[in-house]
């Protein structure tokens, strides 16, 4: 491919130079101007990598929800109506059974609770909440932790590590990381000002 570009670039450069050198003739002058644009374009495509030119091919920035149809799930067989129904069922299960409190919770467990495939469970979470599985579960865990930290501020009976473990986190580091990501503050700061 590089050889083909090199040949085209050389040929175009030769024709452009020939047109300019014979600029006494109007035809060659016009020819040189017409060939100059492709020469520039060929030079750019030869020396600049395609990913540097790609503006339209970029993925959306994290944190933004892309409106419209999600092409990732186009052929899964899960209709929008069923997806919304499963979303409501998942909301209900999270509020009543609180599966997020389990330290070993995985996507397969959520799929079993909803009685659907693992892929469909992921689709329901991604499409309806705009989050991946771990961020979705951590969001529920952090909400639970916030309520415990808020009530714990007046009567500190549990340490932050105990609260983290009670809310489903396996260690203090992952709890702090998730807490800061969701609330933009640390658990210690939150206990001082639970607003």
């Amino acid at each position: 491919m590089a050889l083909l570009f090199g040949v085209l670039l050389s040929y175009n450069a030769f024709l452009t130079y020939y047109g300019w050198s014979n600029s006494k003739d109007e035809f060659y002058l016009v020819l040189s101007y017409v060939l100059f644009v492709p020469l520039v374009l060929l030079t750019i495509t030869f020396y600049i990598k395609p990913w540097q030119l790609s503006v339209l091919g970029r993925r959306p920035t994290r944190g933004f929800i892309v409106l419209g149809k999600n092409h990732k799930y186009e052929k899964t067989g899960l209709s929008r109506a069923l997806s919304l129904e499963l979303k409501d069922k998942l909301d209900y299960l999270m509020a009543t059974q609180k599966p997020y409190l389990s330290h070993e919770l995985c996507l397969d467990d959520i799929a079993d609770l909803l009685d659907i495939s693992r892929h469909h469970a992921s689709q329901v979470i991604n499409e309806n909440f705009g989050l991946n599985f771990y961020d979705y579960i951590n969001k529920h865990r952090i909400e639970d932790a916030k309520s415990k930290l808020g009530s714990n501020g007046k009567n500190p009976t549990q340490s932050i590590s105990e609260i983290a473990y009670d809310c489903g986190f396996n260690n203090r580091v992952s709890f702090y990381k998730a807490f800061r990501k969701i609330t933009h503050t640390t658990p210690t700061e939150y206990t001082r000002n639970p607003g």
Side-chain angles (χ1 to χ4, degrees), residues 24-39:
K24 295 175 189 138
D25 188 359
E26 192 175 318
F27 172 75
Y28 289 114
L29 185 61
V30 171
L31 179 66
S32 65
Y33 287 126
V34 168
L35 291 174
F36 183 71
V37 173
L39 178 64

Side-chain angles (χ1 to χ4, degrees), residues 74-145:
E74 216 169 347
K75 298 178 182 177
T76 64
L78 187 64
S79 69
R80 185 70 185 140
L82 180 57
S83 178
L84 289 171
E85 184 180 320
L86 290 168
K87 173 201 175 277
D88 293 340
K89 184 177 179 183
L90 182 59
D91 280 337
Y92 177 77
L93 289 170
M94 293 303 252
T96 57
Q97 294 183 16
K98 299 186 178 188
Y100 57 86
L101 297 178
S102 169
H103 298 274
E104 285 131 24
L105 183 69
C106 64
L107 185 58
D108 290 326
D109 298 328
I110 296 295
D112 289 342
L113 285 171
L114 294 174
D115 197 27
I116 56 175
S117 73
R118 181 180 205 275
H119 184 72
H120 283 159
S122 177
Q123 179 180 351
V124 168
I125 294 169
N126 292 172
E127 282 185 337
N128 295 300
F129 300 101
L131 300 168
N132 66 34
F133 168 74
Y134 293 106
D135 288 342
Y136 175 74
I137 296 302
N138 284 343
K139 181 177 165 238
H140 283 281
R141 289 174 174 167
I142 295 302
E143 287 304 315
D144 200 34

Side-chain angles (χ1 to χ4, degrees), residues 37-53:
V37 173
L39 178 64
V40 170
L41 292 175
L42 276 171
T43 305
I44 289 171
T45 57
F46 185 70
Y47 289 108
I48 297 178
K49 305 288 186 262
W51 57 267
Q52 291 172 326
L53 294 174

